[in-house]
Amino acid sequence: MSDAAVVHVVDDDESARESLAFLLESADFEVVAYASAPAFLEALPTASPGVIITDVRMPEMSGQELVARLAAQKIRMPIIMITGHGDIPMAVEAMRSGVVDFIEKPFSDARMLDALERAMKAAEASPVSDDQAAVLHRLETLSERERQVLDGVVAGHANKVIARELGISPRTVEIYRAKLMTKMQADNLAALVRMTLSARAS
């Protein structure tokens, strides 16, 4: 990895922080760990550019609050959010606030390293890429019903809410969601939301 590949890990759980730091250092990333969001913000003026990985639920300042503070300061470092208590609305809110990925614990080493690789690329990517064009093309292949379900997912609605709005069963919504993931070539919900929001913003 290059000298610029610094990962800032913000998590109040010491064992989780150390475990993640060990994984990343084993993959040749330089890691700087912080026990709280305020500690990271205090160190920010002299921090090296890189990627931020932050837990959602922390005392003093939550991960969402940290993301908002960074946005207010116009800090452009890519952010990966991790949580043990994830849900669809929380994931969508995170993606809308500019988070690169949203990962639920427990996560595999491969899932984290893949997210980190994408985050590093996001830091270097141009505003419009071939990937974005491909996503727009995939969106065009969706049926009207698939598009309606996707709209519900991106809005942060739970399956039962989408089902009620469309007059179909929650099980049918699950089937449509599975089809969406396949058609959009999304590995997980966060990826589906991220690529949809990005493509629609272009």
Side-chain angles (χ1 to χ4, degrees), residues 10-12 35-37 54-63 66:
V10 186
D11 196 328
D12 64 298
S36 69
T54 179
D55 194 21
V56 171
R57 295 194 177 185
M58 296 183 288
E60 297 184 76
M61 184 185 296
S62 70
L66 173 60

Side-chain angles (χ1 to χ4, degrees), residues 2 10 25 30 67 78 83-84 96 114 117 140 152-154 197-198 202:
S2 69
V10 186
E25 286 169 350
E30 180 184 341
V67 170
T83 180
R96 284 188 181 281
D114 179 60
E117 183 179 343
E140 291 171 2
V153 171
V154 172
L197 290 174
S198 177
S202 65

Side-chain angles (χ1 to χ4, degrees), residues 135-136 139 142 150-151 154 184 190-202:
V135 171
L136 285 168
L139 284 169
L142 301 181
L150 177 61
D151 288 343
V154 172
M184 296 299 293
L192 178 66
V193 173
R194 182 184 63 251
M195 66 173 64
T196 304
L197 290 174
S198 177
R200 289 179 175 175
S202 65

